């Protein structure tokens, strides 16, 4: 392994079974575009009146599939992951004058800065990073995000200088980037801990929101090491009151979106001048409006709602 005593599950390119790239290139992505246009030739009757006669109306429809690259900004999160970058967020309350000392247990892991980056194969330094938290991880099975775009519009010439356009425009976004927490606290485990504490240690700090990374003394030599599924994977620094992992998330291509709109415009030419008026009635839905959005770790469908950038009426 690149770092032999890294917490179990914290791996690096070069470790057994780990690919040497964040995501494999995908060369089999086909992105077709299709468009059709039709101009009615009705010259009489009610259809001639509606369409204005030959050459006065055009009807168009189009569909396209567009792939996009993963935003480069997201990759800067991973380059600061332990042990290639160091920041510290205390999992418990600390003292102002002793910013690393746990007020409850008295554990003090010591000063963490300045920091010297370890070389490949180095060991014994992980206490400075634990618990590893708020460290994004890129899912190696991510796929390339893409959007399906489609539209249908009718353009009608009115007189010799005015054009009216009515259009439906829609899109569907697939495999969009968002953050997926993979180490959430367990409410069931928290209730279990509180039930034990109520009997063995009623004065202890109860388990609840914000205390997922606490070590609980359950009495009779028994301890509960946090409430997350991966709070402890190796446990090499438990004697110092340090869990292995806190709250972390994957940068994952699990989000999706949809957009539907009615668009109307009226354009008039007066000499060398052009006047344009336009209106859009639209609705955008998604379960992740950007890669910084966090999805529900248990069911991403419940996150689906209006996009943060949704504009219903735009003139």
């Amino acid at each position: 392994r690149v770092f032999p005593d890294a917490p179990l599950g914290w791996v690096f390119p070069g470790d057994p079974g780990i690919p040497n790239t964040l995501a494999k290139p995908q060369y089999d992505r086909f992105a077709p575009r299709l468009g059709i246009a039709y101009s009615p030739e009705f010259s009489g009757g009610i259809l001639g009146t509606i369409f204005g006669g030959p050459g006065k109306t055009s009807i168009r429809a189009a569909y396209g599939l567009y792939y996009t690259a993963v935003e480069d900004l997201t990759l800067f999160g991973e380059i600061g992951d332990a042990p290639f970058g160091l920041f510290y967020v205390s999992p418990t309350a600390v003292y102002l004058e002793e910013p690393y000392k746990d007020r409850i247990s008295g554990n003090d892991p010591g000063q963490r800065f300045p920091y010297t980056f370890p070389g490949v194969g180095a060991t014994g330094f992980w206490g400075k990073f634990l618990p590893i938290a708020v460290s994004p991880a890129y899912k190696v099975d991510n796929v390339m995000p893409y959007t399906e775009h489609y539209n249908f519009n009718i353009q009608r010439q009115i007189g010799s200088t005015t054009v009216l356009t009515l259009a439906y425009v829609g899109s569907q976004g697939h495999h969009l980037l968002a953050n997926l927490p993979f180490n959430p606290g367990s409410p069931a485990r928290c209730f279990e801990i509180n039930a034990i504490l109520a009997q063995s240690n009623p004065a202890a700090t109860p388990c609840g929101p914000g205390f997922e990374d606490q070590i609980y003394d359950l009495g009779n030599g028994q301890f509960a090491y946090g409430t997350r599924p991966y709070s402890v994977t190796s446990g090499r620094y438990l004697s110092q009151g340090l869990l292995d992992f806190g709250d972390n998330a994957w940068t994952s291509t699990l989000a999706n979106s949809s957009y539907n709109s009615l668009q109307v415009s009226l354009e008039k030419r007066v000499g060398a001048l052009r006047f344009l008026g336009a209106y859009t009635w639209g609705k955008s839905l998604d379960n992740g409006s950007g890669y910084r959005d966090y999805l529900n770790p248990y069911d991403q469908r419940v996150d689906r709602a209006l996009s943060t950038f949704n504009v219903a009426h735009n003139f």
Side-chain angles (χ1 to χ4, degrees), residues 105 107-110 127-128 215 236-243:
S105 68
N107 287 318
D108 188 349
K128 290 182 176 291
I215 297 177
R236 296 188 181 96
Y237 292 86
L238 284 178
S239 61
Q240 299 180 30
L242 297 174
L243 306 178

Side-chain angles (χ1 to χ4, degrees), residues 194-276:
N194 282 338
I196 297 173
L197 290 177
Q199 299 296 323
S200 64
N201 190 3
T205 301
C207 181
F211 292 92
E212 296 89 348
D213 303 314
Q214 180 70 42
I215 297 177
Y216 297 92
D217 185 350
L218 304 180
N220 298 319
Q222 301 296 313
F223 294 87
Y225 298 102
T227 67
R228 304 181 188 277
Y230 305 110
S231 291
V232 178
T233 60
S234 298
R236 296 188 181 96
Y237 292 86
L238 284 178
S239 61
Q240 299 180 30
L242 297 174
L243 306 178
D244 290 321
F245 292 101
D247 184 22
N248 292 287
W250 276 309
T251 300
S252 176
T253 52
L254 284 178
N256 58 77
S257 67
S258 67
Y259 174 73
N260 295 280
S261 68
L262 170 66
Q263 301 183 11
V264 182
S265 69
L266 185 67
E267 182 178 358
K268 183 174 180 61
R269 186 178 70 252
V270 179
L273 300 177
R274 289 178 180 268
F275 297 91
L276 175 65

Side-chain angles (χ1 to χ4, degrees), residues 32-57:
R33 277 83 159 170
L34 175 66
I36 58 174
Y38 169 66
S39 180
E41 296 292 328
F42 303 108
S43 58
I46 188 171
L47 292 179
T49 301
I50 293 174
F51 292 107
K56 298 296 184 180
T57 297

Side-chain angles (χ1 to χ4, degrees), residues 66-71 143-147 174-176:
Y66 303 86
Y67 286 93
T68 181
V70 172
E71 296 99 306
V143 297
M144 194 176 296
Y146 70 94
T147 298
H174 306 277
H175 300 299
L176 307 179

Side-chain angles (χ1 to χ4, degrees), residues 179-184 247-250 293-298 300:
N179 280 299
L180 178 67
F182 61 84
N183 199 27
D247 184 22
N248 292 287
W250 276 309
D293 284 359
Y294 281 77
L295 303 180
N296 186 299
Y298 305 106
Q300 292 80 56

